[in-house]
Amino acid sequence: GEVGAYFGAVMLLARDDPARVLRTGREAILTPTEEFEREGFVANVVFPTAVVENGDRWLVYYGASDKYSAVVELDRGQVMATLE
């Protein structure tokens, strides 16, 4: 059957207790828009797996359509601004 679309959002966790959620994102920061994200083994799926900080930029490594791996560069400030 249909899986639906999977997307990535952001959540800020407490450093001393990662089970405690401090803030959550208001919107998706990663959505399946590219052809390789929309078509594949499981269509319309992106799933972030790692974040590497590079100054004020984040490199977000993610899987797409259960078939591909990719990386996207995001602005840390813009991502943090989505938190409420």
Side-chain angles (χ1 to χ4, degrees), residues 39-61:
E39 298 176 11
F41 185 71
V42 179
N44 293 317
V45 171
V46 292
F47 48 97
T49 55
V51 176
V52 175
E53 260 189 301
N54 185 15
D56 63 344
R57 311 294 292 169
W58 283 346
L59 299 175
V60 179
Y61 292 83

Side-chain angles (χ1 to χ4, degrees), residues 18-29:
R20 188 167 50 103
V21 177
L22 301 177
R23 298 183 344 198
T24 58
R26 296 185 302 267
E27 56 195 53
I29 62 165

